[in-house]
Coordinates of all heavy atoms in Angstrom, one line a residue:
M1 N -12.3 -33.1 106.1 CA -13.4 -33.1 107.0 C -13.6 -34.5 107.6 O -13.5 -35.5 106.8 CB -14.7 -32.7 106.2 CG -15.8 -32.6 107.1 SD -17.4 -32.5 106.3 CE -17.9 -31.1 105.9
P2 N -13.8 -34.7 108.9 CA -13.9 -36.0 109.5 C -15.2 -36.7 109.0 O -16.2 -36.0 108.8 CB -13.9 -35.7 111.0 CG -14.3 -34.3 111.1 CD -13.8 -33.6 109.9
N3 N -15.1 -38.0 108.9 CA -16.3 -38.8 108.6 C -17.2 -39.0 109.8 O -16.8 -39.5 110.8 CB -15.9 -40.1 108.0 CG -17.0 -40.9 107.5 OD1 -18.1 -40.4 107.4 ND2 -16.8 -42.2 107.2
K4 N -18.4 -38.5 109.7 CA -19.3 -38.6 110.8 C -20.0 -40.0 110.8 O -20.4 -40.4 109.7 CB -20.3 -37.5 110.8 CG -19.7 -36.1 111.0 CD -20.8 -35.0 111.0 CE -20.1 -33.7 111.2 NZ -21.1 -32.6 111.2
S5 N -20.2 -40.6 111.9 CA -20.8 -41.9 111.9 C -22.3 -41.9 111.5 O -22.8 -42.9 111.0 CB -20.7 -42.5 113.3 OG -21.4 -41.8 114.2
N6 N -23.0 -40.8 111.6 CA -24.4 -40.8 111.2 C -24.6 -40.4 109.8 O -25.7 -40.4 109.3 CB -25.2 -39.9 112.2 CG -24.8 -38.4 112.0 OD1 -23.8 -38.1 111.3 ND2 -25.6 -37.6 112.6
E7 N -23.5 -40.2 109.0 CA -23.7 -39.9 107.6 C -24.3 -41.1 106.9 O -25.1 -40.9 105.9 CB -22.4 -39.5 107.0 CG -21.9 -38.1 107.3 CD -20.6 -37.7 106.7 OE1 -20.0 -38.6 106.0 OE2 -20.2 -36.6 106.9
A8 N -24.0 -42.3 107.2 CA -24.5 -43.5 106.6 C -26.1 -43.6 106.8 O -26.8 -44.1 106.0 CB -23.9 -44.7 107.1
C9 N -26.5 -43.0 107.9 CA -28.0 -43.0 108.2 C -28.8 -42.2 107.2 O -29.9 -42.5 107.0 CB -28.3 -42.5 109.6 SG -27.5 -43.5 110.9
R10 N -28.1 -41.3 106.5 CA -28.8 -40.4 105.5 C -28.8 -41.1 104.2 O -29.5 -40.6 103.3 CB -28.2 -39.1 105.5 CG -28.5 -38.2 106.7 CD -27.9 -36.9 106.6 NE -26.7 -37.0 107.5 CZ -25.7 -36.1 107.5 NH1 -25.8 -35.1 106.8 NH2 -24.7 -36.3 108.3
D11 N -28.0 -42.1 104.0 CA -28.0 -42.8 102.7 C -29.2 -43.6 102.5 O -29.7 -44.2 103.5 CB -26.7 -43.7 102.7 CG -26.4 -44.2 101.3 OD1 -27.0 -43.6 100.3 OD2 -25.7 -45.2 101.2
H12 N -29.7 -43.7 101.3 CA -30.9 -44.5 101.0 C -30.5 -45.9 100.7 O -29.7 -46.1 99.8 CB -31.7 -43.8 99.9 CG -32.2 -42.5 100.2 ND1 -33.3 -42.3 101.1 CD2 -31.8 -41.2 99.9 CE1 -33.5 -41.0 101.2 NE2 -32.6 -40.4 100.5
G13 N -31.2 -46.8 101.3 CA -31.1 -48.2 101.0 C -29.8 -48.8 101.6 O -29.0 -48.1 102.1
G14 N -29.8 -50.1 101.6 CA -28.6 -50.8 102.1 C -28.6 -50.9 103.6 O -29.5 -50.5 104.3
K15 N -27.5 -51.4 104.2 CA -27.3 -51.5 105.6 C -27.1 -50.2 106.3 O -26.5 -49.3 105.7 CB -26.0 -52.4 105.8 CG -25.8 -52.7 107.3 CD -24.6 -53.6 107.5 CE -24.4 -53.8 108.9 NZ -23.1 -54.6 109.1
R16 N -27.7 -50.0 107.4 CA -27.6 -48.8 108.2 C -27.0 -49.0 109.5 O -27.7 -49.0 110.5 CB -29.0 -48.2 108.3 CG -29.6 -47.7 107.0 CD -31.0 -47.2 107.3 NE -31.7 -46.7 106.1 CZ -32.5 -47.5 105.3 NH1 -32.7 -48.7 105.7 NH2 -33.0 -47.0 104.3
S17 N -25.8 -49.3 109.6 CA -25.1 -49.6 110.9 C -25.1 -48.4 111.7 O -24.7 -47.3 111.2 CB -23.7 -50.2 110.6 OG -22.9 -49.3 109.9
G18 N -25.4 -48.5 113.0 CA -25.3 -47.4 113.9 C -26.5 -46.4 113.8 O -26.4 -45.4 114.4
C19 N -27.5 -46.7 113.1 CA -28.6 -45.8 112.9 C -29.8 -46.1 113.9 O -30.8 -45.4 113.8 CB -29.1 -45.8 111.5 SG -27.9 -45.3 110.3
G20 N -29.6 -47.1 114.7 CA -30.7 -47.4 115.7 C -31.8 -48.2 115.0 O -32.8 -48.5 115.7
R21 N -31.7 -48.6 113.8 CA -32.7 -49.5 113.2 C -32.4 -50.9 113.5 O -31.3 -51.3 113.4 CB -32.7 -49.2 111.7 CG -32.9 -47.8 111.3 CD -33.0 -47.6 109.9 NE -34.3 -46.9 109.7 CZ -35.2 -47.3 108.7 NH1 -34.9 -48.3 107.9 NH2 -36.3 -46.7 108.6
K22 N -33.4 -51.7 113.7 CA -33.3 -53.1 114.0 C -33.8 -53.9 112.9 O -35.0 -53.7 112.5 CB -34.0 -53.4 115.3 CG -33.4 -52.7 116.5 CD -34.2 -53.0 117.8 CE -33.6 -52.2 118.9 NZ -34.4 -52.5 120.1
P23 N -33.1 -54.8 112.4 CA -33.6 -55.6 111.2 C -34.8 -56.5 111.7 O -34.8 -57.0 112.7 CB -32.4 -56.5 110.9 CG -31.5 -56.5 112.1 CD -31.7 -55.2 112.8
G24 N -35.8 -56.5 110.8 CA -37.0 -57.3 111.1 C -38.0 -56.6 111.9 O -39.1 -57.1 112.2
V25 N -37.7 -55.4 112.5 CA -38.7 -54.7 113.3 C -39.3 -53.6 112.4 O -38.6 -52.7 112.0 CB -38.0 -54.0 114.5 CG1 -39.0 -53.2 115.3 CG2 -37.4 -55.1 115.4
K26 N -40.6 -53.7 112.1 CA -41.3 -52.8 111.3 C -42.0 -51.8 112.2 O -42.6 -52.1 113.2 CB -42.3 -53.5 110.4 CG -41.6 -54.4 109.5 CD -42.6 -54.9 108.4 CE -42.0 -55.9 107.5 NZ -41.1 -55.5 106.5
T27 N -41.9 -50.5 111.9 CA -42.5 -49.5 112.7 C -43.5 -48.7 111.8 O -43.3 -48.7 110.6 CB -41.5 -48.5 113.3 OG1 -40.8 -47.9 112.3 CG2 -40.6 -49.3 114.3
Q28 N -44.4 -48.0 112.4 CA -45.3 -47.1 111.7 C -45.5 -45.9 112.6 O -45.8 -46.0 113.7 CB -46.6 -47.8 111.5 CG -47.6 -47.0 110.7 CD -48.9 -47.8 110.5 OE1 -49.2 -48.7 111.3 NE2 -49.7 -47.5 109.5
P29 N -45.3 -44.7 112.0 CA -45.5 -43.5 112.8 C -46.9 -43.3 113.2 O -47.8 -43.5 112.3 CB -45.0 -42.4 111.9 CG -45.1 -42.9 110.5 CD -44.9 -44.4 110.6
I30 N -47.2 -43.0 114.4 CA -48.6 -42.7 114.8 C -48.5 -41.4 115.6 O -47.7 -41.2 116.5 CB -49.1 -43.8 115.8 CG1 -49.1 -45.2 115.1 CG2 -50.4 -43.5 116.4 CD1 -49.4 -46.4 115.9
R31 N -49.4 -40.5 115.2 CA -49.5 -39.2 115.8 C -50.5 -39.3 117.0 O -51.6 -39.8 116.9 CB -50.0 -38.2 114.8 CG -49.0 -38.0 113.7 CD -49.6 -37.0 112.7 NE -48.7 -37.0 111.5 CZ -48.2 -35.9 111.0 NH1 -48.5 -34.7 111.6 NH2 -47.4 -35.9 110.0
L32 N -50.0 -38.7 118.1 CA -50.8 -38.7 119.3 C -51.1 -37.2 119.6 O -50.3 -36.3 119.3 CB -50.1 -39.3 120.5 CG -49.7 -40.8 120.4 CD1 -48.9 -41.2 121.6 CD2 -51.0 -41.6 120.3
P33 N -52.3 -36.9 120.2 CA -52.5 -35.6 120.6 C -51.5 -35.1 121.6 O -51.0 -35.9 122.4 CB -53.9 -35.7 121.3 CG -54.5 -36.9 120.8 CD -53.4 -37.8 120.5
E34 N -51.1 -33.8 121.6 CA -50.1 -33.3 122.4 C -50.4 -33.5 123.9 O -49.5 -33.8 124.7 CB -49.9 -31.8 122.1 CG -48.7 -31.2 122.9 CD -47.4 -31.7 122.4 OE1 -47.2 -32.1 121.3 OE2 -46.5 -31.8 123.3
W35 N -51.7 -33.4 124.3 CA -52.0 -33.5 125.7 C -51.8 -35.0 126.2 O -51.4 -35.2 127.3 CB -53.5 -33.1 125.9 CG -54.5 -34.0 125.2 CD1 -55.0 -33.7 124.0 CD2 -55.0 -35.2 125.7 NE1 -55.9 -34.7 123.6 CE2 -55.9 -35.7 124.7 CE3 -54.9 -36.0 126.8 CZ2 -56.7 -36.9 124.8 CZ3 -55.6 -37.2 126.9 CH2 -56.5 -37.6 125.9
L36 N -52.1 -35.9 125.3 CA -51.9 -37.3 125.6 C -50.4 -37.7 125.7 O -49.9 -38.3 126.7 CB -52.5 -38.3 124.6 CG -52.4 -39.8 124.8 CD1 -52.9 -40.2 126.2 CD2 -53.1 -40.5 123.7
L37 N -49.6 -37.2 124.8 CA -48.1 -37.4 124.9 C -47.5 -36.8 126.1 O -46.7 -37.4 126.8 CB -47.5 -36.9 123.6 CG -46.0 -37.2 123.5 CD1 -45.7 -38.6 123.5 CD2 -45.5 -36.6 122.2
A38 N -48.0 -35.6 126.5 CA -47.5 -34.9 127.7 C -47.9 -35.7 128.9 O -47.1 -35.9 129.8 CB -48.1 -33.5 127.8
Q39 N -49.1 -36.2 129.0 CA -49.5 -37.0 130.2 C -48.7 -38.3 130.3 O -48.3 -38.7 131.3 CB -51.0 -37.4 130.1 CG -51.5 -38.2 131.2 CD -51.4 -37.4 132.6 OE1 -51.6 -36.2 132.6 NE2 -51.1 -38.2 133.6
L40 N -48.5 -39.0 129.1 CA -47.7 -40.2 129.1 C -46.3 -39.9 129.6 O -45.7 -40.7 130.3 CB -47.8 -40.9 127.7 CG -49.1 -41.5 127.3 CD1 -49.0 -41.9 125.8 CD2 -49.4 -42.7 128.2
S41 N -45.8 -38.8 129.1 CA -44.4 -38.5 129.5 C -44.3 -38.2 131.0 O -43.2 -38.5 131.6 CB -43.9 -37.2 128.7 OG -43.9 -37.5 127.3
R42 N -45.3 -37.7 131.6 CA -45.3 -37.5 133.1 C -45.3 -38.8 133.8 O -44.8 -38.9 134.9 CB -46.4 -36.6 133.5 CG -46.3 -35.2 133.2 CD -47.3 -34.3 133.9 NE -48.6 -34.4 133.3 CZ -49.0 -33.6 132.3 NH1 -48.2 -32.8 131.8 NH2 -50.2 -33.8 131.8
E43 N -45.9 -39.8 133.2 CA -46.0 -41.2 133.8 C -44.8 -42.0 133.6 O -44.6 -43.0 134.4 CB -47.2 -41.9 133.3 CG -48.6 -41.2 133.6 CD -48.9 -41.2 135.0 OE1 -48.6 -42.2 135.7 OE2 -49.4 -40.1 135.5
G44 N -44.0 -41.7 132.6 CA -42.8 -42.6 132.3 C -42.5 -42.5 130.8 O -42.8 -41.5 130.1
D45 N -42.0 -43.6 130.3 CA -41.6 -43.6 128.8 C -42.9 -43.9 128.0 O -43.5 -44.9 128.2 CB -40.6 -44.8 128.6 CG -40.2 -44.9 127.2 OD1 -40.3 -44.0 126.4 OD2 -39.9 -46.1 126.8
P46 N -43.3 -42.9 127.2 CA -44.5 -43.1 126.4 C -44.6 -44.4 125.6 O -45.6 -45.1 125.6 CB -44.6 -41.9 125.5 CG -43.8 -40.8 126.2 CD -42.7 -41.6 126.9
R47 N -43.5 -44.7 125.0 CA -43.5 -46.0 124.1 C -43.8 -47.2 125.0 O -44.6 -48.1 124.6 CB -42.2 -46.1 123.4 CG -42.0 -45.1 122.3 CD -40.7 -45.3 121.6 NE -40.5 -44.3 120.6 CZ -39.3 -43.7 120.4 NH1 -38.3 -44.0 121.1 NH2 -39.3 -42.8 119.4
Q48 N -43.1 -47.3 126.1 CA -43.3 -48.5 127.0 C -44.7 -48.5 127.6 O -45.3 -49.6 127.7 CB -42.2 -48.5 128.1 CG -42.2 -49.8 128.8 CD -41.9 -51.0 128.0 OE1 -41.0 -51.0 127.2 NE2 -42.8 -52.0 128.0
L49 N -45.2 -47.3 127.9 CA -46.6 -47.3 128.5 C -47.6 -47.7 127.4 O -48.6 -48.4 127.8 CB -46.9 -45.9 129.0 CG -46.1 -45.4 130.2 CD1 -46.3 -44.0 130.5 CD2 -46.5 -46.3 131.4
I50 N -47.4 -47.4 126.2 CA -48.3 -47.8 125.1 C -48.2 -49.3 124.9 O -49.2 -50.0 124.8 CB -48.0 -47.0 123.8 CG1 -48.4 -45.5 124.0 CG2 -48.8 -47.6 122.6 CD1 -47.9 -44.6 122.9
I51 N -47.0 -49.8 124.9 CA -46.8 -51.3 124.8 C -47.5 -52.0 125.9 O -48.2 -53.0 125.7 CB -45.3 -51.6 124.7 CG1 -44.7 -51.1 123.3 CG2 -45.1 -53.1 124.8 CD1 -43.2 -51.1 123.3
D52 N -47.3 -51.5 127.1 CA -47.9 -52.2 128.3 C -49.4 -52.2 128.2 O -50.0 -53.2 128.5 CB -47.4 -51.5 129.6 CG -45.9 -51.7 129.9 OD1 -45.3 -52.6 129.3 OD2 -45.4 -50.9 130.7
A53 N -50.0 -51.0 127.8 CA -51.4 -50.9 127.7 C -52.0 -51.9 126.6 O -53.0 -52.5 126.8 CB -51.8 -49.5 127.3
C54 N -51.3 -52.0 125.5 CA -51.7 -52.9 124.5 C -51.6 -54.4 124.9 O -52.5 -55.2 124.7 CB -50.8 -52.8 123.2 SG -51.1 -51.2 122.4
L55 N -50.5 -54.7 125.6 CA -50.4 -56.1 126.1 C -51.4 -56.4 127.2 O -51.9 -57.5 127.3 CB -49.0 -56.3 126.7 CG -47.9 -56.3 125.6 CD1 -46.5 -56.4 126.3 CD2 -48.1 -57.5 124.6
A56 N -51.8 -55.4 128.0 CA -52.8 -55.6 129.0 C -54.2 -55.8 128.4 O -55.0 -56.7 128.8 CB -52.9 -54.4 130.0
R57 N -54.5 -55.1 127.3 CA -55.8 -55.3 126.6 C -55.8 -56.5 125.7 O -56.9 -57.2 125.6 CB -56.1 -54.0 125.8 CG -57.4 -54.1 125.2 CD -57.9 -52.8 124.8 NE -59.2 -52.9 124.2 CZ -60.1 -52.0 124.2 NH1 -59.8 -50.8 124.7 NH2 -61.3 -52.2 123.6
Y58 N -54.7 -56.8 125.1 CA -54.6 -58.0 124.2 C -53.5 -58.9 124.5 O -52.5 -58.9 123.9 CB -54.5 -57.5 122.7 CG -55.5 -56.5 122.3 CD1 -55.2 -55.2 122.2 CD2 -56.8 -56.9 121.9 CE1 -56.2 -54.2 121.8 CE2 -57.8 -56.0 121.5 CZ -57.5 -54.7 121.4 OH -58.4 -53.8 121.0
P59 N -53.6 -59.6 125.6 CA -52.5 -60.5 126.1 C -52.0 -61.5 125.1 O -50.9 -61.9 125.1 CB -53.0 -61.1 127.4 CG -54.5 -60.9 127.4 CD -54.8 -59.8 126.5
S60 N -52.9 -61.9 124.2 CA -52.5 -62.9 123.2 C -51.4 -62.4 122.2 O -50.7 -63.2 121.6 CB -53.7 -63.4 122.4 OG -54.2 -62.3 121.6
I61 N -51.3 -61.1 122.1 CA -50.2 -60.6 121.1 C -48.8 -60.7 121.7 O -47.9 -60.6 121.0 CB -50.5 -59.1 120.7 CG1 -50.5 -58.2 121.8 CG2 -51.8 -59.1 119.9 CD1 -50.6 -56.7 121.4
Y62 N -48.7 -60.9 123.0 CA -47.4 -61.0 123.7 C -46.6 -62.1 123.0 O -45.5 -62.0 122.7 CB -47.6 -61.3 125.2 CG -46.2 -61.4 125.9 CD1 -45.5 -60.2 126.1 CD2 -45.7 -62.6 126.2 CE1 -44.3 -60.3 126.7 CE2 -44.5 -62.7 126.8 CZ -43.8 -61.6 127.1 OH -42.6 -61.7 127.7
N63 N -47.2 -63.3 122.8 CA -46.5 -64.4 122.2 C -46.2 -64.2 120.8 O -45.3 -64.7 120.3 CB -47.3 -65.7 122.5 CG -47.3 -66.1 123.9 OD1 -46.4 -65.8 124.7 ND2 -48.4 -66.8 124.3
E64 N -47.1 -63.5 120.1 CA -46.9 -63.2 118.6 C -45.6 -62.4 118.4 O -44.9 -62.6 117.4 CB -48.1 -62.5 118.0 CG -49.3 -63.3 118.0 CD -50.5 -62.6 117.5 OE1 -50.3 -61.5 116.9 OE2 -51.6 -63.0 117.6
G65 N -45.3 -61.5 119.3 CA -44.2 -60.6 119.1 C -42.9 -61.1 119.9 O -41.9 -60.4 119.9
S66 N -42.9 -62.3 120.4 CA -41.8 -62.8 121.2 C -40.5 -63.0 120.3 O -39.4 -63.0 120.8 CB -42.1 -64.1 121.9 OG -42.4 -65.1 121.0
D67 N -40.7 -63.2 119.0 CA -39.5 -63.3 118.1 C -39.0 -62.0 117.7 O -38.0 -61.9 116.9 CB -39.9 -64.1 116.9 CG -40.3 -65.5 117.2 OD1 -39.8 -66.1 118.2 OD2 -41.1 -66.2 116.5
S68 N -39.6 -60.9 118.1 CA -39.2 -59.6 117.7 C -37.8 -59.2 118.3 O -37.4 -59.7 119.4 CB -40.2 -58.6 118.2 OG -39.7 -57.3 118.1
N69 N -37.1 -58.4 117.6 CA -35.8 -57.9 118.1 C -35.9 -56.6 119.0 O -35.0 -56.1 119.4 CB -34.9 -57.5 116.9 CG -34.5 -58.7 116.1 OD1 -34.4 -59.8 116.7 ND2 -34.3 -58.5 114.8
D70 N -37.2 -56.1 119.2 CA -37.4 -54.9 119.9 C -37.5 -55.1 121.4 O -38.0 -56.0 121.9 CB -38.6 -54.2 119.3 CG -38.7 -52.7 119.7 OD1 -37.6 -52.2 120.2 OD2 -39.7 -52.1 119.6

């Protein structure tokens, strides 16, 4: 059976090469109402729109996250 590249992603702990995880970038799942996610999707990329809205409301956080890998 061929070795699939995403098999390492299911392993717990250690390096996760190719899994789309970025070192030093912490995330937290946030649930949005379906209607809001649908509206954001019609406008563009929901993640980027949320980031843009946060930066517009709190411009000082832009410099805090400038060392981020995201």
Side-chain angles (χ1 to χ4, degrees):
M1 184 194 270
N3 184 11
K4 295 181 181 177
S5 63
N6 66 352
E7 283 181 357
C9 295
R10 289 179 259 170
D11 190 17
H12 295 286
K15 185 178 177 185
R16 293 179 180 93
S17 60
C19 296
R21 303 184 124 226
K22 297 178 181 177
V25 176
K26 298 193 187 278
T27 61
Q28 181 180 24
I30 298 175
R31 295 176 187 234
L32 297 175
E34 187 65 33
W35 64 267
L36 179 56
L37 186 57
Q39 180 63 38
L40 289 171
S41 295
R42 283 192 284 275
E43 298 293 322
D45 177 27
R47 290 181 182 138
Q48 189 60 51
L49 291 169
I50 292 169
I51 291 169
D52 293 344
C54 290
L55 292 175
R57 183 161 182 154
Y58 305 104
S60 64
I61 64 175
Y62 180 77
N63 291 332
E64 292 175 16
S66 62
D67 295 333
S68 168
N69 293 331
D70 198 14

